[in-house]
Amino acid sequence: MRIATFFVFGLLAAGPSLQADIVTEASARACALVTLHTPPGPSRRAMALVQVSVYEAVNAISGRYRDGRLALGMHPEASMDAAVLAATRGALLDLLREDRAAVEAWYAEAMARIPEGAAKAAGAELGARAASGVLALRAEDGAQNPERYRPRTSPGVYVPTTMPAAPQWPDRKPWLLTTASQFRPGPPPSLTGEVWARDFNEVKALGGKASPKRSPEQTAVARFWEDNGSGIYFGVLRSAAESTGLDPTDTARLYAVAAMAMDDAIIAVFDAKYAYGFWRPLTAIRNGDQDGNADTEREPAWLPLIDTPMHPEYPCAHCILAASLAEVLEAAPFRGKVPVLATTSLVTPGIVRRWPTPAALVQEVADARVWAGVHYRNSTQVGEAMGRQVGRWAARVFREGVRP
């Protein structure tokens, strides 16, 4: 994707003077590399591995919190900058094995800005240990399990042969949740009911490729949120951290908790998606005469505004991500400061969208997925509710200072 590549390399080229601190700088570089080389689902796991590694290293220097996962000891003598860079490098080298040269080039340039000495060496060693420790903890989390998706068909009957995304993700071990199904919702609405008819007709009217009822602004919002990579949400996270002046320890902790919450949210939503296997609007609207509902009318040539994601519809994944992040942001230690919430999209380069509150962000994401023609309103509401549950579970880290 040329637009995405141009945007990511532009982000990689951004100078350190644009960053609030070393944690934010390293996170931005890691997110850019992960976005360039990793599909959206696995990118959540990758960023969680990076951010948890960084937090473990930073907290071993400051000693502020007791919610670490590794026994790294206390290292107040170590350079925090070197530790952050080394932890980021260690995680990325394991995750991006085909592009280690880019990781090493960034690391060498960034480390060269730190004065030589015992503190730098201690920080580099600490960061490397943090990354290797976190990677070892998550080595058997199920991400490498072979996928065994079985297409539904009858013998001899053709079905589309593009494989769906991440069917093995429900088998992954969550970071904070007890199980992938901990917050699994009830089933989608009955096809013969009023909710289904309402949702069917809303997305049919507003989400069609050439819909005359969708406004230019609604189209712009839908296009913006066509980007489903990690960068769009980490942009929101960075804007919040930078605008509130968090110190490196609290910044690292915010990124780690948010990254774990969003990765758990993806595990949870794919658990529900593959448990229910609910059809997308593209399928439903072209088969509107077969759902047993007199209030849904088939449109044989209907197409959504954007390409339909390759996984089941229910619930909305974008919505669970946005809501889980919103809960973490609402629990974050901003100490009375109101965070700026803003981000950019790979799909609409140069456009920055902003929201006054986390709730406004969540609502826009939900609307965008309906206007894009890929989700039903009920699915956005269920996705938001799931995300709130996942985010609240993760936010206990902030309130209690210990892992759930």
Side-chain angles (χ1 to χ4, degrees):
M1 182 177 182
R2 291 182 61 193
I3 290 176
T5 302
F6 173 81
F7 178 85
V8 170
F9 278 119
L11 188 57
L12 285 171
S17 62
L18 299 178
Q19 309 299 341
D21 55 59
I22 191 65
V23 175
T24 294
E25 177 191 341
S27 177
R29 299 301 178 97
C31 193
L33 286 165
V34 166
T35 299
L36 186 61
H37 296 285
T38 311
S43 75
R44 323 287 179 199
R45 175 180 183 268
M47 286 306 298
L49 288 167
V50 170
Q51 301 300 171
V52 174
S53 297
V54 168
Y55 174 62
E56 292 288 343
V58 168
N59 198 45
I61 296 172
S62 70
R64 185 176 301 169
Y65 297 105
R66 297 182 298 112
D67 52 9
R69 291 164 172 258
L70 304 177
L72 295 176
M74 288 297 301
H75 300 274
E77 79 289 351
S79 162
M80 190 169 288
D81 285 10
V84 169
L85 295 173
T88 304
R89 169 185 178 263
L92 289 177
L93 286 179
D94 184 80
L95 294 163
L96 307 179
R97 299 186 181 187
E98 295 181 358
D99 199 37
R100 290 185 169 187
V103 176
E104 293 288 29
W106 162 72
Y107 179 71
E109 181 274 331
M111 286 291 279
R113 304 196 306 263
I114 303 174
E116 297 295 333
K120 178 178 180 178
E125 192 272 338
L126 175 63
R129 283 204 295 131
S132 63
V134 171
L135 289 167
L137 282 177
R138 301 298 297 180
E140 303 298 326
D141 70 353
Q144 306 306 321
N145 290 353
E147 61 89 7
R148 297 185 176 88
Y149 178 78
R150 183 171 182 171
R152 297 182 183 181
T153 185
S154 299
V157 177
Y158 171 79
V159 294
T161 51
T162 300
M163 294 303 293
Q168 77 276 32
W169 239 232
D171 298 327
R172 282 188 56 210
K173 177 184 177 182
W175 291 87
L176 300 171
L177 301 183
T178 56
T179 65
S181 61
Q182 181 176 344
F183 297 121
R184 184 190 291 178
S190 167
L191 297 183
T192 59
E194 293 181 3
V195 171
W196 169 246
R198 178 204 68 185
D199 289 355
F200 178 103
N201 288 311
E202 181 187 22
V203 71
K204 180 183 176 184
L206 293 176
K209 199 172 191 68
S211 170
K213 296 184 178 181
R214 186 181 55 245
S215 71
E217 172 63 11
Q218 289 171 329
T219 299
V221 170
R223 290 287 189 193
F224 186 91
W225 287 103
E226 187 176 358
D227 181 357
N228 60 358
S230 288
I232 198 166
Y233 288 106
F234 269 85
V236 175
L237 198 53
R238 282 195 298 274
S239 72
E242 290 181 321
S243 63
T244 51
L246 294 181
D247 67 19
T249 300
D250 280 338
T251 299
R253 192 162 176 256
L254 172 64
Y255 288 174
V257 175
M260 288 188 288
M262 287 191 286
D263 194 28
D264 276 5
I266 284 296
I267 294 172
V269 82
F270 274 106
D271 167 79
K273 281 178 178 289
Y274 285 109
Y276 293 117
F278 200 57
W279 57 359
R280 290 279 184 173
L282 174 61
T283 310
I285 293 170
R286 290 184 173 220
N287 291 280
D289 57 341
Q290 297 182 18
D291 61 6
N293 195 315
D295 293 324
T296 61
E297 184 177 341
R298 176 180 184 241
E299 186 173 326
W302 190 90
L303 289 171
L305 173 64
I306 69 172
D307 291 340
T308 297
M310 285 304 301
H311 46 77
E313 188 274 337
Y314 176 87
C316 167
H318 249 311
C319 303
I320 194 174
L321 284 167
S324 64
L325 176 58
E327 284 288 335
V328 171
L329 289 173
E330 289 166 0
F334 293 136
R335 297 178 178 86
K337 296 182 179 179
V338 178
V340 172
L341 305 179
T343 194
T344 56
S345 167
L346 296 180
V347 179
T348 58
I351 303 298
V352 179
R353 295 196 66 84
R354 296 177 174 84
W355 305 272
T357 62
L361 165 69
V362 175
Q363 185 60 56
E364 178 175 292
V365 170
D367 289 337
R369 303 311 274 170
V370 174
W371 299 336
V374 296
H375 276 295
Y376 313 107
R377 181 64 61 183
N378 180 72
S379 291
T380 70
Q381 295 165 345
V382 172
E384 177 183 348
M386 284 183 70
R388 292 286 183 185
Q389 289 175 302
V390 173
R392 281 194 291 270
W393 189 264
R396 291 173 59 193
V397 174
F398 281 147
R399 291 195 302 271
E400 300 175 13
V402 295
R403 290 192 290 119

